Amino acid sequence: MSWEENVRRVEPYVPGEQPKRKDIIKLNTNECPYPPAPGVTAALERMDPASFRLYPDPDAKMLVHALAESYGLRDEQVFVGVGSDDVLAMIFLTFFQSEKPILFPDITYSFYDVWANLYRIPYEQIPVDEEFRIRFEDYRKENGGIVIANPNAPTGIAVGKKQMKDFIAEHRDVIVVVDEAYVDFGGESCVDLINEFDNLIVVQTFSKSRSMAGMRIGYAMADEKLIRYLLDVKFAMNSYTMNRPTLELGVESVRDEAYFKETTAKIVATRERMKTELEGIGFTCTDSKANFLFAAHEKIPAAVMFERLKEKGIYVRYWNKPRIQNRMRITIGTDEQMDVLVKAMKEIIGEEGSFDAKVSVEWR
Amino acid sequence: MSWEENVRRVEPYVPGEQPKRKDIIKLNTNECPYPPAPGVTAALERMDPASFRLYPDPDAKMLVHALAESYGLRDEQVFVGVGSDDVLAMIFLTFFQSEKPILFPDITYSFYDVWANLYRIPYEQIPVDEEFRIRFEDYRKENGGIVIANPNAPTGIAVGKKQMKDFIAEHRDVIVVVDEAYVDFGGESCVDLINEFDNLIVVQTFSKSRSMAGMRIGYAMADEKLIRYLLDVKFAMNSYTMNRPTLELGVESVRDEAYFKETTAKIVATRERMKTELEGIGFTCTDSKANFLFAAHEKIPAAVMFERLKEKGIYVRYWNKPRIQNRMRITIGTDEQMDVLVKAMKEIIGEEGSFDAKVSVEWR
């Protein structure tokens, strides 16, 4: 016998590349191009490193309270973790103990099946339609829980609150998780439905709309009872997940509602302008309500465009996967970065377009 | 049917109290009384909050490399996580998949059985002897893995490297985890044995000897193959566990070997002086090699001493559990804090001693 027989073997998630070069235009992991709220800088300046010798508050009260206040909730309805990945992984472990499969779309955030595999949770991926829309009627079957990203990733397509509400009402006997990582860029949140549905968990993050991917903060909002179950699992794993800087800086971000609205509005404006420009040079885009576009070109294969952009120092995201292998996910950066991107794309279309034409002529 | 049937129910770990009052002498969670290394303060001052908009390095390379360099290891032999609790929980999930019970002492860090319960790992607690020493001969049985805290908690008793080596050699067919959270205060580390034994994982932390409990950094050192398995599980859970400040500040702490040696030596000196003083006023202490003492008084029950100290604003740790319910775990603070503690204890012994005497007289 060997210890190797007792190892949990898993297929890990592969995150978007983090280039070491500093001159890269990085549009591959949906980070925000603007800095965090000014209050974050001020809090960092007054932070006392001597306090690091003490454990942080295991209940993360200051951050939980700031979030509850901001959403008009009670503290008991909020749970915080090390990014929404930490929160979602804990939700999978806590609530998906059924023998029946959990359900989520075939095209969605690619961590859901990774967590299901990690925790040996049976799952079924329900195909989205030809235009990448979630087919809610296909979820009417025996299941152990449901996970919907809204807006969905990497399509950016959002579902209205009315439709989400009907869907949640249809599945009251299982936990429905709504992953709202991208909701602040034009989606409709289901947060206030947690007062009505005790089977609903809404998950959000500081990584996109709050410019704090580097701080690792995610949170879940749900009925008090669900939050208590989550806390029990958290306290059975690691009492102190949120470190002191995270708690202090997170609070400052939540407090600055004006800055939050200003930066998210800027990103939405850039996205809409970009969408029009990309369509002008031969791209088809989904109607994204997120901080990215999901685009296919009429002539240049996405794999080629992706590689050529990379050569030019522009990183976007590409998956060589069925149904989406001719699309790129492009994070919305600053207007300046977007202009550089469009210029580069025009060059590539010019070069690859004529090269392709030549090749086809030679081969014909 | 209800979603409640699919919930993972667990008994959470209860961490030591984090008092809100500022004037408390806090000797209950084994924090270090000295601030982190000066380089940590300097790094905090030059930290750029604009960088928080970007995800941290998922491989945590800078911190992994600093640790590897400091221990004379290769980067591939080091794994970092959100405190040693995060690292240990991931080790339990990754390596303890056997149907056979994992083994650990009955008196030890009280998170081991919590993780085993969380992940449905069968376990058996092997009694320590009457003097709280680990009985290694009792581990010679079929098992799915072994966890030894060395020095052990809350006893502080350490086992020499020679004995640990023989023990690990005896159990080559299972993973042996050595939790060295307290090793820097006089224990002998097994770190260099990882080059010899591919079934050994040594876990350490920044929370005690590096004065950074508030930053949440723990790490495992082991054969490359074991580290790869751990990384796979980590990347199947949360790619970005270590936030940007943690990586930058952690590196500075590791680099300042002189400060590390100076502060740990001060704590050892205070511990030895305190042990003599406590023995002088009627306490029995184990031979602790950790940053705490584990003490029983000849007259005053630990529960009474614990409550009376609390009234006086001094927090120590007490468990109302079989075999240890007449002992307190007292973290080593500064010399000044220890003097206040001894003075308070003398008062309590005077008062309770005569009160007890009176009660016994009346009841007789």
Side-chain angles (χ1 to χ4, degrees):
Chain A
M1 206 205 91
S2 145
W3 54 262
E4 294 235 33
E5 292 165 31
N6 303 328
V7 175
R8 181 170 290 239
R9 287 191 172 74
V10 290
E11 203 54 62
Y13 173 80
V14 181
E17 214 168 331
Q18 298 292 354
K20 301 284 177 278
R21 272 173 60 188
K22 292 285 177 198
D23 58 339
I24 293 293
I25 295 186
K26 196 171 170 307
L27 307 172
N28 69 336
T29 52
N30 296 339
E31 288 142 336
C32 179
Y34 305 110
V40 172
T41 302
L44 186 66
E45 277 162 13
R46 64 172 185 267
M47 194 170 289
D48 176 14
S51 73
F52 296 164
R53 73 177 190 84
L54 297 171
Y55 280 97
D57 171 19
D59 299 315
K61 275 248 163 56
M62 61 191 289
L63 183 56
V64 163
H65 183 68
L67 284 165
E69 212 167 36
S70 161
Y71 287 90
L73 301 173
R74 293 186 305 283
D75 290 7
E76 292 75 17
Q77 294 174 298
V78 178
F79 174 87
V80 295
V82 181
S84 60
D85 286 347
D86 181 46
V87 174
L88 286 161
M90 237 178 274
I91 288 170
F92 273 57
L93 178 63
T94 307
F95 296 110
F96 296 153
Q97 294 267 299
S98 172
E99 301 290 308
K100 294 174 197 154
I102 61 167
L103 310 179
F104 48 83
D106 63 337
I107 294 172
T108 191
Y109 184 34
S110 43
F111 234 127
Y112 301 153
D113 56 338
V114 174
W115 290 316
N117 286 323
L118 174 67
Y119 294 128
R120 315 278 188 252
I121 301 163
Y123 64 95
E124 192 183 327
Q125 291 164 300
I126 311 290
V128 295
D129 73 13
E130 285 308 303
E131 287 170 324
F132 302 118
R133 286 173 308 207
I134 294 172
R135 294 168 52 95
F136 287 104
E137 60 275 24
D138 293 348
Y139 290 73
R140 283 182 199 130
K141 53 170 85 174
E142 287 276 287
N143 68 75
I146 295 171
V147 186
I148 301 289
N150 186 35
N152 197 14
T155 65
I157 297 171
V159 176
K161 190 170 146 192
K162 172 75 180 66
Q163 197 180 351
M164 285 304 296
K165 184 177 170 174
D166 293 344
F167 180 67
I168 298 157
E170 244 190 89
H171 296 277
R172 293 214 62 157
D173 55 346
V174 296
I175 295 292
V176 178
V177 178
V178 183
D179 180 351
E180 296 188 341
Y182 299 104
V183 80
D184 299 318
F185 305 102
E188 285 184 292
S189 177
C190 289
V191 168
D192 61 1
L193 298 179
I194 67 167
N195 291 306
E196 197 171 333
F197 297 102
D198 73 350
N199 63 318
L200 168 65
I201 309 179
V202 175
V203 177
Q204 295 192 8
T205 175
F206 281 48
S207 299
K208 319 295 179 189
S209 53
R210 295 196 177 275
S211 297
M212 290 175 81
M215 286 308 298
R216 318 305 304 123
I217 311 177
Y219 49 110
M221 296 169 288
D223 183 81
E224 290 183 23
K225 198 183 206 176
L226 294 186
I227 297 298
R228 270 201 308 276
Y229 283 130
L230 264 182
L231 284 170
D232 284 351
V233 166
K234 172 224 154 119
F235 279 111
M237 201 183 281
N238 186 359
S239 312
Y240 307 97
T241 55
M242 311 299 284
N243 68 19
R244 286 182 167 259
T246 304
L247 295 175
E248 291 180 31
L249 303 180
V251 166
E252 293 305 322
S253 170
V254 177
R255 280 191 185 144
D256 198 339
E257 189 71 16
Y259 183 83
F260 173 73
K261 285 198 171 135
E262 184 198 322
T263 46
T264 49
K266 274 205 291 200
I267 288 164
V268 169
T270 306
R271 178 188 69 210
E272 294 307 312
R273 177 175 76 80
M274 264 304 286
K275 191 171 173 237
T276 308
E277 288 209 30
L278 290 189
E279 284 167 356
I281 59 172
F283 280 97
T284 312
C285 296
T286 56
D287 180 23
S288 172
K289 299 292 182 201
N291 68 337
F292 54 80
L293 287 170
F294 194 51
H297 195 263
E298 58 188 6
K299 286 197 191 135
I300 319 295
V304 173
M305 182 70 88
F306 167 76
E307 285 298 340
R308 294 294 317 273
L309 286 172
K310 203 165 167 180
E311 287 164 23
K312 290 171 184 282
I314 303 170
Y315 282 46
V316 300
R317 194 88 198 261
Y318 169 71
W319 292 270
N320 187 11
K321 279 188 183 175
R323 303 191 73 185
I324 59 170
Q325 77 280 69
N326 202 30
R327 296 209 165 231
M328 294 179 305
R329 192 195 66 187
I330 305 161
T331 304
I332 303 302
T334 60
D335 281 308
E336 295 69 31
Q337 290 177 320
M338 294 292 110
D339 291 342
V340 174
L341 172 71
V342 173
K343 186 166 167 284
M345 282 172 158
K346 283 180 181 164
E347 286 167 16
I348 295 165
I349 293 166
E351 291 157 21
E352 295 289 335
S354 52
F355 176 73
D356 267 4
K358 256 195 293 177
V359 171
S360 346
V361 170
E362 281 167 6
W363 282 26
R364 220 177 266 145
Chain B
M1 206 205 90
S2 146
W3 54 261
E4 294 235 32
E5 292 164 31
N6 303 329
V7 175
R8 182 171 289 240
R9 288 190 172 76
V10 289
E11 203 55 62
Y13 172 82
V14 181
E17 217 169 331
Q18 298 291 355
K20 301 282 177 279
R21 273 173 61 189
K22 292 284 177 199
D23 58 339
I24 293 294
I25 294 186
K26 196 169 172 305
L27 307 173
N28 68 335
T29 52
N30 296 340
E31 288 142 336
C32 179
Y34 306 110
V40 172
T41 303
L44 186 66
E45 276 162 15
R46 65 172 184 264
M47 195 170 287
D48 176 14
S51 73
F52 296 165
R53 73 176 190 83
L54 297 171
Y55 280 97
D57 171 18
D59 299 315
K61 275 247 164 56
M62 62 191 287
L63 183 56
V64 163
H65 182 68
L67 283 165
E69 212 167 36
S70 162
Y71 287 91
L73 302 173
R74 293 186 305 280
D75 290 9
E76 292 74 18
Q77 294 174 299
V78 178
F79 174 87
V80 296
V82 181
S84 60
D85 286 348
D86 181 45
V87 174
L88 285 162
M90 237 177 274
I91 288 170
F92 273 57
L93 178 63
T94 307
F95 297 110
F96 296 154
Q97 294 267 301
S98 171
E99 300 290 310
K100 293 173 199 155
I102 60 166
L103 310 179
F104 47 84
D106 64 337
I107 295 172
T108 191
Y109 185 34
S110 42
F111 234 127
Y112 301 152
D113 55 338
V114 173
W115 289 316
N117 286 322
L118 173 67
Y119 293 127
R120 314 282 188 250
I121 300 162
Y123 64 95
E124 193 184 327
Q125 292 164 300
I126 310 291
V128 295
D129 73 14
E130 285 309 303
E131 287 170 323
F132 301 120
R133 286 173 306 206
I134 294 171
R135 293 167 53 94
F136 286 103
E137 61 275 25
D138 293 350
Y139 290 72
R140 284 182 199 131
K141 52 170 86 176
E142 286 275 287
N143 69 75
I146 295 172
V147 186
I148 300 288
N150 187 34
N152 197 13
T155 64
I157 297 172
V159 176
K161 190 170 146 193
K162 172 74 180 67
Q163 197 178 351
M164 286 304 296
K165 185 178 170 176
D166 292 345
F167 180 68
I168 298 157
E170 242 190 274
H171 296 277
R172 294 213 64 156
D173 55 344
V174 296
I175 295 291
V176 178
V177 179
V178 182
D179 179 352
E180 296 188 340
Y182 298 105
V183 79
D184 300 316
F185 305 103
E188 284 183 293
S189 176
C190 289
V191 168
D192 61 2
L193 297 180
I194 67 168
N195 291 308
E196 195 170 337
F197 296 102
D198 74 350
N199 63 317
L200 168 65
I201 308 179
V202 174
V203 177
Q204 296 192 7
T205 175
F206 281 49
S207 299
K208 318 295 178 187
S209 53
R210 295 195 178 275
S211 297
M212 290 177 82
M215 286 307 299
R216 318 304 303 120
I217 310 176
Y219 50 109
M221 296 169 288
D223 183 81
E224 289 183 24
K225 197 181 207 177
L226 295 185
I227 297 298
R228 271 200 308 274
Y229 283 131
L230 265 182
L231 284 170
D232 284 351
V233 166
K234 173 225 156 119
F235 279 112
M237 200 184 279
N238 186 359
S239 312
Y240 306 98
T241 55
M242 311 299 285
N243 68 19
R244 285 181 167 261
T246 304
L247 295 176
E248 292 181 30
L249 302 181
V251 166
E252 293 305 323
S253 170
V254 177
R255 281 192 185 144
D256 197 339
E257 189 71 16
Y259 183 83
F260 173 73
K261 285 198 171 135
E262 183 197 323
T263 46
T264 49
K266 274 205 290 202
I267 288 164
V268 169
T270 307
R271 178 187 71 210
E272 294 307 311
R273 177 176 76 81
M274 265 304 287
K275 191 171 174 239
T276 308
E277 287 209 29
L278 289 189
E279 284 168 354
I281 59 174
F283 280 97
T284 313
C285 297
T286 56
D287 180 24
S288 173
K289 298 293 181 200
N291 68 337
F292 55 79
L293 286 169
F294 194 51
H297 195 263
E298 58 188 8
K299 285 194 189 141
I300 319 293
V304 173
M305 182 68 89
F306 168 76
E307 285 299 338
R308 293 296 315 277
L309 285 172
K310 203 167 169 179
E311 287 164 25
K312 290 171 185 281
I314 302 171
Y315 283 45
V316 300
R317 195 89 198 262
Y318 168 72
W319 292 270
N320 187 10
K321 279 189 181 172
R323 305 191 71 185
I324 59 170
Q325 78 278 67
N326 202 31
R327 295 209 165 232
M328 297 180 305
R329 192 195 65 188
I330 306 161
T331 303
I332 303 302
T334 60
D335 280 309
E336 296 68 31
Q337 290 176 320
M338 293 293 109
D339 290 341
V340 175
L341 171 72
V342 172
K343 186 165 167 286
M345 282 173 157
K346 283 180 181 165
E347 285 167 17
I348 294 165
I349 293 166
E351 291 158 23
E352 295 289 336
S354 51
F355 176 74
D356 267 3
K358 257 194 292 177
V359 170
S360 350
V361 171
E362 281 166 6
W363 281 26
R364 219 175 267 147

